[in-house]
C-alpha cells in the first residue's frame, strides 16, 4: 500500500514537472518502486528485470536521448481536456474490469487449475530443474521464449538500422 | 571524461561484483530466481555503467561495436541451433530430452544452452542500443 501510494505520487510528479531531466529520474524511481511491488508479490524474476531494464538501462537511454534534445518540455498547445477524458474513461474501464479478477493467490482460478498445476507436478521429475519458472520458460514453453528472443533481436536490429551511422557516411562527415 | 573520483572508485569496486552476480543469475537460474534474460540485462547494464564512467572509447576497446552486433545474432543462432540439434538427434524441434542419453541431463544441457543464447542476445542488444545512442552525441 505504501509502495502504491509512493508510485501514485511519483506519477503526479512526472505529469506536473516540465523539466525532462527530473521526469527521467522520477520514472526511474517509479520503476524501482514497481520492482519492489513485484518482490512483495513474490515475482522475483520479473522484479529483477524491472529493476535492471526499467530503472537502469532505460533511464540511461532516456538520458542519452535527452542529451540530444532540450531539457525543458515545450508548453502544450492544446487544452488537455480530450486526452484527460480518454485517460479517465480507459482508467474507469480498467478498474471496472479488475472487479471481476479473482483474489490474489486463489487456488481455484483457471491459471492454477489447468496447466499450471501440471507443470508444478511434472517439472522436477521431467527436467530436474528446481525453479519451475525456468523450466516452463525454457523447456515447456521453449517456442515462446524463442519468439521472445527473436523479438529482442529484431528490436536491436531495428534500432541499429535507424541510429547507427555506417562507415561510409562517417568518413563523409 | 572527468567524473567524480568517488564515483569512479566505487564503480571500479562494484563492476566485478555486478558481472559475477549476472553470471550467478545465469547459472543459478535453474535453482534460484533468474535466467537468461535477467542475466543478460545485468551484464548489459554492467558494460553500460563502465561506458558511462570511463568513456565510450574505453568501453568499445573492451567490447567493440562489431562484437556487440555479432552477439545479437549469435544468441538467436545458439537458441535455434539447440532446437535443430534436438531434431538431428531424433526428437522434435526444441526437444532437449534427446540431447543426451538421460532425458533429465538432456533437459539440463538444453536449458543451459538456450539460456546462454538469450543472455548473449539480450546483453548484445542492450549494449548495441546504448552504443548507437551514445555515439550520436559526439
Amino acid at each position: 500500500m505504501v509502495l502504491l501510494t509512493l508510485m501514485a505520487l511519483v506519477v503526479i510528479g512526472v505529469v506536473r514537472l516540465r523539466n525532462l531531466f527530473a521526469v527521467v529520474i522520477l520514472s526511474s524511481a517509479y520503476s524501482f518502486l514497481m520492482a519492489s511491488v513485484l518482490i512483495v508479490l513474490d515475482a522475483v524474476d520479473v522484479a529483477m528485470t524491472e529493476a535492471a531494464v526499467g530503472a537502469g538501462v532505460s533511464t540511461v537511454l532516456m538520458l542519452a536521448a535527452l542529451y540530444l534534445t532540450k531539457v525543458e518540455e515545450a508548453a502544450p498547445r492544446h487544452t488537455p481536456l480530450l486526452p484527460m477524458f480518454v485517460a479517465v474513461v480507459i482508467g474507469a474501464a480498467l478498474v471496472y474490469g479488475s472487479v471481476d479478477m479473482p483474489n490474489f493467490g486463489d487456488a481455484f482460478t483457471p491459471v492454477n487449475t489447468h496447466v499450471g498445476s501440471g507443470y508444478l507436478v511434472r517439472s522436477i521429475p521431467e527436467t530436474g530443474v528446481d525453479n519451475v519458472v525456468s523450466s516452463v520458460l525454457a523447456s515447456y514453453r521453449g517456442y515462446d521464449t524463442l519468439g521472445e528472443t527473436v523479438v529482442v533481436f529484431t528490436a536491436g536490429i531495428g534500432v541499429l538500422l535507424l541510429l547507427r551511422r555506417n562507415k561510409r557516411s562517417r568518413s563523409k562527415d | 571524461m572527468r567524473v567524480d573520483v568517488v564515483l569512479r572508485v566505487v564503480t571500479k569496486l562494484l563492476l566485478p561484483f555486478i558481472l559475477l552476480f549476472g553470471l550467478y543469475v545465469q547459472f543459478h537460474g535453474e535453482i534460484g530466481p533468474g535466467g537468461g534474460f535477467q542475466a543478460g540485462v545485468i551484464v548489459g547494464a554492467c558494460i553500460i555503467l563502465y561506458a558511462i564512467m570511463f568513456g565510450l572509447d574505453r568501453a568499445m576497446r573492451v567490447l567493440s561495436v562489431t562484437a556487440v552486433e555479432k552477439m545479437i545474432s549469435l544468441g538467436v543462432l545458439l537458441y535455434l541451433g539447440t532446437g535443430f540439434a534436438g531434431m538431428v538427434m531424433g526428437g522434435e524441434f526444441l526437444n532437449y530430452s534427446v540431447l543426451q542419453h538421460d532425458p533429465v541431463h538432456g533437459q539440463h544441457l538444453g536449458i543451459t544452452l538456450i539460456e546462454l543464447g538469450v543472455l548473449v542476445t539480450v546483453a548484445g542488444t542492450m549494449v548495441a542500443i546504448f552504443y548507437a545512442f551514445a555515439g550520436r552525441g559526439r
Side-chain angles (χ1 to χ4, degrees):
Chain A
M1 199 64 217
V2 178
L3 287 171
L4 291 179
T5 316
L6 277 174
M7 280 166 78
L9 288 177
V10 168
V11 170
I12 293 171
V14 168
V15 173
R16 293 202 63 80
L17 278 173
R18 284 267 165 261
N19 187 329
L20 290 177
F21 184 75
V23 168
V24 169
I25 299 301
L26 272 182
S27 48
S28 162
Y30 179 86
S31 287
F32 210 76
L33 289 170
M34 189 73 222
S36 314
V37 170
L38 291 168
I39 286 180
V40 173
L41 294 176
D42 275 345
V44 192
D45 297 72
V46 194
M48 250 184 218
T49 318
E50 177 70 38
V53 178
V57 178
S58 69
T59 305
V60 170
L61 291 182
M62 291 289 234
L63 287 177
L66 208 58
Y67 182 67
L68 302 172
T69 58
K70 279 183 268 179
V71 180
E72 287 291 317
E73 188 183 346
R77 264 173 278 165
H78 310 284
T79 51
L81 281 179
L82 180 66
M84 185 142 168
F85 176 72
V86 171
V88 167
V89 167
I90 291 177
L94 287 175
V95 170
Y96 176 71
S98 72
V99 173
D100 272 349
M101 292 247 293
N103 290 327
F104 177 69
D106 190 347
F108 301 103
T109 55
V111 181
N112 289 336
T113 52
H114 191 216
V115 281
S117 53
Y119 286 146
L120 287 178
V121 175
R122 284 159 53 196
S123 172
I124 292 179
E126 278 185 9
T127 61
V129 171
D130 294 333
N131 183 4
V132 183
V133 177
S134 287
S135 75
V136 170
L137 269 179
S139 188
Y140 296 117
R141 289 269 167 257
Y143 275 79
D144 295 4
T145 310
L146 174 63
E148 187 188 304
T149 314
V150 174
V151 166
V152 173
F153 167 78
T154 319
I157 297 294
V159 169
L160 285 183
L161 283 177
L162 285 173
L163 288 183
R164 183 171 169 250
R165 293 178 298 179
N166 55 24
K167 291 202 178 77
R168 240 180 301 146
S169 71
R170 188 177 292 164
S171 61
K172 240 181 269 174
D173 51 58
Chain B
M1 208 197 262
R2 272 196 60 82
V3 202
D4 192 9
V5 72
V6 177
L7 286 179
R8 265 175 184 250
V9 172
V10 171
T11 310
K12 251 185 191 170
L13 278 175
L14 277 180
L15 277 174
F17 290 104
I18 298 176
L19 207 56
L20 193 65
F21 181 65
L23 292 174
Y24 166 77
V25 167
Q26 167 76 16
F27 292 108
H28 206 252
E30 296 180 1
I31 303 152
F37 191 85
Q38 286 83 357
V41 168
I42 292 171
V43 171
C46 177
I47 295 161
I48 291 176
L49 179 65
Y50 183 80
I52 294 174
M53 294 312 292
F54 299 101
L56 208 56
D57 297 321
R58 284 181 68 176
M60 281 177 179
R61 231 182 294 157
V62 178
L63 203 61
S64 70
V65 181
T66 37
V68 167
E69 284 165 6
K70 278 178 187 144
M71 272 169 73
I72 299 178
S73 35
L74 196 72
V76 178
L77 283 178
L78 185 59
Y79 201 128
L80 283 173
T82 312
F84 284 121
M87 280 172 87
V88 171
M89 310 281 272
E92 299 90 352
F93 181 63
L94 286 177
N95 181 357
Y96 320 126
S97 297
V98 292
L99 289 178
Q100 280 184 344
H101 291 299
D102 186 14
V104 173
H105 285 174
Q107 289 282 344
H108 255 286
L109 182 69
I111 290 175
T112 310
L113 281 175
I114 66 140
E115 295 275 17
L116 200 65
V118 175
L119 172 126
V120 171
T121 295
V122 170
T125 307
M126 294 287 164
V127 179
I129 293 176
F130 174 75
Y131 278 174
F133 259 101
R136 273 178 91 82
R138 298 184 301 172

